[in-house]
Amino acid sequence: MLLTRRRLIAISAILATVPGATHAKTAARLWTGQALGARASIRIDHPDADAIVTRVMAEIDRLENILSLYRPDSALSRLNRDGHLQAPPFEFLECLSLADAVHRASGGRFDPTVQPLWTLWAESAANGTRPGSAEVDRVRANVGWAKVKLEAASITLHPGMALTLNGIGQGYVADRVAVLLDAEGLTDILIDTGEFRALGGQPGGGGWPVRLESGERLPLRQRALATSAPLGTTFDQAARDGHILDPVTGMPAPATWRSVSVSAPSAAIADALATAACLMPDVESILAMNERFKGAHLEGASM
């Protein structure tokens, strides 16, 4: 699989102001490691930086044990393997509930059950081929959010089905880290898990200057921003078949959009809306979808 847009997920939290703290006596703590299957970093300027970084790392690790496709024993991996998950963690249910809301608002375009299609396209590309229409149709029979039985006590999939949270999980993790840091009393924070989540603004004032795909800078403050690009990650070396798959056709998103950026109060919602927007035929459809979520805005759509 060829990554043409973003090879690494960066996770960073920056603190500028802590009430009662004397910044002259503090030193920034920079942690680097692995998170969400990629390199990550956290930078915090706080007297208890070491302890806070440890708690952030533990929270990310806990969430990966629930949501990650990279970990064979995660709740998501166990559900995909067994087709049933008893007593699912609250965070899993919450993330899937958010996915359900975007699924309905997008007319079914956002669908976590496309994982079998993703596997088909990835395996075909690894073999130097492209799946034929008969293969796509066969696998597409295992796709459909309506087939997922989602209850507080359990989650059940039909045989052959599997879920992916790649279109919402990074944003969800950003939201959870924001909750943790806010509870620590931190302000002026920018979290980047591939999708941005800002609490407060820059230490010197104003919003965080996040760059859109168009090159324009957006001052981000007290909200999240997500950008999706159909060809940002591609299955083939020719960079023709993008990673965002249409659950109806089973095919990669058409070349309508080069990238779409959506902001919202929640990074999970912004993440999912930006993903779904790449499958929308026009700006009007994107705007209509966003209207279903308070505070969601289309920040950029490049054709």
Side-chain angles (χ1 to χ4, degrees), residues 122-181:
E123 291 179 348
S124 296
N127 293 326
T129 63
R130 196 169 187 261
S133 59
E135 288 181 283
V136 171
D137 288 343
R138 173 180 56 80
V139 174
R140 193 163 52 86
N142 295 323
V143 173
W145 183 246
K147 301 175 185 178
V148 178
K149 187 176 181 182
L150 181 62
E151 299 176 335
S154 64
I155 305 171
T156 304
L157 306 179
H158 278 219
M161 294 186 73
L163 304 185
T164 175
L165 298 175
N166 284 348
I168 192 170
Q170 292 174 9
Y172 184 80
V173 171
D175 286 334
R176 298 300 303 180
V177 171
V179 169
L180 186 155
L181 293 174

Side-chain angles (χ1 to χ4, degrees), residues 5-262:
R5 176 171 168 261
R6 184 173 57 224
R7 285 186 172 275
L8 302 175
I9 299 171
I11 302 176
S12 59
I14 304 172
L15 167 70
T17 305
V18 180
T22 302
H23 279 266
K25 298 181 181 180
T26 69
R29 162 73 190 275
L30 177 64
W31 169 85
T32 59
Q34 290 283 320
L36 302 177
R39 274 172 42 194
S41 65
I42 304 172
R43 179 182 173 87
I44 294 181
D45 183 2
H46 187 281
D48 297 322
D50 286 348
I52 294 172
V53 166
T54 297
R55 287 193 284 274
V56 170
M57 290 166 57
E59 175 69 353
I60 293 171
D61 184 68
R62 186 182 72 85
L63 292 170
E64 285 198 86
N65 283 332
I66 297 172
L67 308 174
S68 176
L69 280 173
Y70 296 98
R71 297 191 176 184
D73 293 326
S74 72
L76 175 59
S77 293
R78 286 186 283 119
L79 173 63
N80 286 346
R81 181 179 62 246
D82 302 334
H84 182 79
L85 183 67
Q86 197 71 21
F90 166 78
E91 292 83 1
F92 199 6
L93 290 170
E94 183 178 41
C95 193
L96 291 180
S97 295
L98 295 173
D100 176 69
V102 178
H103 174 80
R104 289 182 279 109
S106 65
R109 290 177 175 86
F110 184 80
D111 193 327
T113 68
V114 296
Q115 180 60 21
L117 285 169
W118 202 96
T119 300
L120 171 66
W121 281 89
E123 291 179 348
S124 296
N127 293 326
T129 63
R130 196 169 187 261
S133 59
E135 288 181 283
V136 171
D137 288 343
R138 173 180 56 80
V139 174
R140 193 163 52 86
N142 295 323
V143 173
W145 183 246
K147 301 175 185 178
V148 178
K149 187 176 181 182
L150 181 62
E151 299 176 335
S154 64
I155 305 171
T156 304
L157 306 179
H158 278 219
M161 294 186 73
L163 304 185
T164 175
L165 298 175
N166 284 348
I168 192 170
Q170 292 174 9
Y172 184 80
V173 171
D175 286 334
R176 298 300 303 180
V177 171
V179 169
L180 186 155
L181 293 174
D182 187 52
E184 295 283 355
L186 308 186
T187 61
D188 298 332
I189 299 162
L190 180 66
I191 301 164
D192 176 6
T193 60
E195 320 306 340
F196 293 100
R197 179 74 157 82
L199 293 177
Q202 289 191 94
W208 294 96
V210 176
R211 187 185 297 274
L212 301 178
E213 290 289 316
S214 63
E216 179 184 356
R217 289 185 180 273
L218 176 71
L220 198 65
R221 187 182 182 91
Q222 294 299 116
R223 55 193 296 103
L225 176 74
T227 296
S228 290
L231 297 180
T233 301
T234 60
F235 295 108
D236 59 323
Q237 291 293 324
R240 179 182 59 177
D241 297 323
H243 70 297
I244 298 177
L245 300 174
D246 189 328
V248 176
T249 66
M251 301 297 290
T256 306
W257 308 106
R258 190 173 67 216
S259 69
V260 180
S261 296
V262 175

